[in-house]
Amino acid sequence: MDFAFDPADEAFRQEVKAFLADNLPPEMARRSSTNYHISRADTRAWTAILHKRGWSAPSWPVEFGGTGWSLMQQFIFDQECFFAGAPLLETGGLKMIGPVIFTFGTPAQHERFNEPFLRGEITWGQGFSEPNAGSDLASLATRAERDGDEYVINGRKIWTSNGQYANWLFCLVKTDPNERQRGISMILIPADAPGVSIQPIIDIGEAHNLNEMVFDNVRVPADNLVGEEGKGWSYAQFLLENERAFSAEVPRNKRNLALLRRIAADRKKGGRPLAEDPVFASRIEQLQSDCDALEWMTLRALTAKKGGDTSLPVGSILKVRGTELQQKIGEMQIEALGDYGAVVYPGEDYLDTDLMGPGPDYAPGVLADFLYRRAVTIYGGANEIQRTILAKRYLGL
Ligand SMILES: Cc1cc2nc3c(=O)[nH]c(=O)nc-3n(C[C@H](O)[C@H](O)[C@H](O)COP(=O)(O)OP(=O)(O)OC[C@H]3O[C@@H](n4cnc5c(N)ncnc54)[C@H](O)[C@@H]3O)c2cc1C
């Protein structure tokens, strides 16, 4: 492993920084730099800015309108964008179903979705989990039955993130109820198709991101099947490996650690800044070591991938370490905030009106993020399951 960025990568970093300085609207950066959920309007506006430069699909190959960047360039781009406060791009399309479609989809599906993907015009919902199929996803029961040129879909999906904004859903369905994995297919469903109903689920932070979806005799053209019937399980594994790798969130961990340092430098204990308390300071340094290790682990994984080594379940490793670190940093932020750690700040009002509410300017958004991040060790496949994958595939147990 080479510990230094090569000069070409450093030059690329400067190019990205200059682009951000010239093109990222400061108001948008201010809104996205808080830990509240990013508005759809900002995501779309930022995607349009990137699209003009040909950068709206940083991880895609050139033939599908992507940048063709190396993994290292993507890492640098993601990091610089995050630090500058750029909104995150639409992950459901760009990082989840998009790569599945350009790898396994039909030419008609490329034609239909490619340009909207690049322009960020579609919001996607991921319809995998069901009330009785989470960790044991292969026991999903939503049924898709072929009827002439259509599939008729009946069933129930749960925990659909951002489902209330979705225009399209990519779903796992059973096309053969007598099989487990081999009976599963992946299908694209318009969110406004007759028979689709979406109900909100309000989370622990009183936010609405999650949804339950019911399919009642929903008819979609057979052409909406992704790839081949019965291959949905392998497409889902491909998608989930990508989802897990980005859920490590190195840039977010670094930014939240910097915020923790800022809070600890300002808040007092016994008349002295918390950052000068030896026990608290040593706990922060432990998190710093964990964060550095996560970053190097990510770079090592990128280097290995570049060399063609795909033997490690890298997504599972990064997901476990990165998500647990997010939670530990959040816990210390709340502890350092003291009484203000318990204050609920009104997200949208704060962003729209500069209404500060009680407390220092770094306090809003911390509790909301802390509560939301209880879920990071669950979604994308619970960490206990990732550890089982690692035990089997990496340690051979
Ligand atoms: C905020 C959030 C957003 C989500 N977004 C989406 C989405 O957009 N689309 C979607 O399809 N799904 C989504 N999910 C669902 C998520 O993928 C599932 O919650 C997850 O796979 C776990 O499934 P479950 O909730 O049914 O828990 P269960 O599978 O019931 O697990 C409960 C607990 O038991 C443990 N456990 C289960 N089986 C084993 C085992 N074999 N060995 C050891 N421990 C085990 C788990 O680790 C977990 O701690 C989301 C979830 C959350 C919380």
Side-chain angles (χ1 to χ4, degrees):
M1 174 174 175
D2 182 358
F3 280 84
F5 285 95
D6 69 34
D9 287 333
E10 275 307 332
F12 175 74
R13 186 192 300 280
Q14 296 314 319
E15 187 187 349
V16 173
K17 275 182 186 260
F19 172 81
L20 288 162
D22 291 345
N23 292 280
L24 177 63
E27 269 309 288
M28 190 186 277
R30 191 181 72 86
R31 285 191 292 272
S32 307
S33 298
T34 67
N35 276 326
Y36 290 114
H37 287 282
I38 292 160
S39 81
R40 321 302 305 167
D42 278 348
T43 297
R44 287 198 178 176
W46 178 235
T47 308
I49 293 169
L50 290 176
H51 186 253
K52 270 197 203 151
R53 175 70 180 256
W55 285 3
S56 66
S59 55
W60 286 29
V62 174
E63 63 264 42
F64 300 113
T67 57
W69 284 336
S70 67
L71 290 165
M72 194 61 81
Q73 285 175 309
Q74 292 167 38
F75 178 82
I76 291 169
F77 179 77
D78 284 353
Q79 187 141 311
E80 293 304 327
C81 285
F82 198 83
F83 291 161
L88 292 179
L89 298 176
E90 216 278 306
T91 48
L94 278 181
K95 299 214 172 174
M96 294 196 201
I97 189 63
V100 173
I101 289 185
F102 69 63
T103 310
F104 306 106
T106 61
Q109 286 164 354
H110 295 181
E111 181 76 15
R112 166 72 184 80
F113 293 112
N114 207 68
E115 196 56 28
F117 274 136
L118 299 177
R119 293 182 179 280
E121 285 168 357
I122 298 178
T123 300
W124 290 87
Q126 179 189 29
F128 284 13
S129 307
E130 298 185 1
N132 293 314
S135 301
D136 184 17
L137 190 58
S139 60
L140 63 91
T142 294
R143 186 82 171 90
E145 285 174 275
R146 186 77 187 243
D147 180 22
D149 290 341
E150 294 179 320
Y151 282 98
V152 184
I153 301 159
N154 282 288
R156 188 180 286 265
K157 296 286 176 182
I158 196 165
W159 313 124
T160 317
S161 299
N162 296 320
Q164 74 271 34
Y165 305 117
N167 317 104
W168 280 85
L169 310 164
F170 54 94
C171 296
L172 292 179
V173 291
K174 268 268 156 84
T175 38
D176 182 349
N178 300 315
E179 295 278 357
R180 256 174 80 83
Q181 277 108 326
R182 280 185 296 172
I184 293 174
S185 301
M186 192 179 283
I187 201 155
L188 308 176
I189 304 176
D192 60 357
V196 177
S197 58
I198 300 185
Q199 301 296 328
I201 301 174
I202 304 303
D203 70 21
I204 189 175
E206 296 185 13
H208 175 200
N209 298 298
L210 298 169
N211 300 272
E212 182 164 11
M213 306 190 293
V214 177
F215 303 123
D216 182 10
N217 283 317
V218 176
R219 289 182 167 269
V220 298
D223 292 344
N224 286 18
L225 188 81
V226 177
E228 292 174 45
E229 206 177 89
K231 294 262 177 80
W233 186 253
S234 58
Y235 307 152
Q237 297 313 306
F238 171 90
L239 182 152
L240 286 167
E241 174 68 12
N242 289 339
E243 181 179 355
R244 284 168 195 154
F246 70 72
S247 57
E249 301 225 44
V250 173
R252 184 183 300 281
N253 272 311
K254 288 174 90 170
R255 190 177 78 186
N256 278 346
L257 192 51
L259 177 60
L260 171 61
R261 287 187 183 281
R262 190 174 159 221
I263 299 170
D266 193 50
R267 305 295 298 160
K268 304 271 189 308
K269 184 184 170 191
R272 283 166 53 201
L274 201 47
E276 291 175 17
D277 176 83
V279 175
F280 202 86
S282 73
R283 287 169 63 202
I284 293 184
E285 293 317 318
Q286 178 61 54
L287 293 181
Q288 183 69 59
S289 307
D290 291 348
C291 196
D292 292 346
L294 179 71
E295 183 168 21
W296 288 112
M297 212 184 318
T298 305
L299 291 170
R300 195 173 72 169
L302 296 181
T303 311
K305 267 199 171 181
K306 200 161 106 186
D309 179 359
T310 54
S311 57
L312 287 180
V314 167
S316 300
I317 301 174
L318 297 179
K319 200 228 164 196
V320 168
R321 299 308 299 251
T323 53
E324 291 177 1
L325 185 58
Q326 287 172 53
Q327 292 184 341
K328 283 187 208 156
I329 295 173
E331 282 159 20
M332 279 191 70
Q333 286 176 340
I334 294 292
E335 188 182 333
L337 274 175
D339 291 348
Y340 293 118
V343 180
V344 177
Y345 294 83
E348 296 300 323
D349 289 352
Y350 165 71
L351 294 174
D352 290 349
T353 65
D354 262 339
L355 177 76
M356 292 303 293
D361 67 349
Y362 47 70
V366 174
L367 181 64
D369 192 56
F370 168 79
L371 291 174
Y372 179 72
R373 269 164 224 289
R374 298 292 85 202
V376 294
T377 46
I378 302 173
Y379 63 60
N383 282 17
E384 290 81 1
I385 302 299
Q386 302 317 306
R387 286 193 159 87
T388 303
I389 292 172
L390 288 171
K392 281 190 185 156
R393 284 190 46 201
Y394 186 40
L395 303 175
L397 298 174

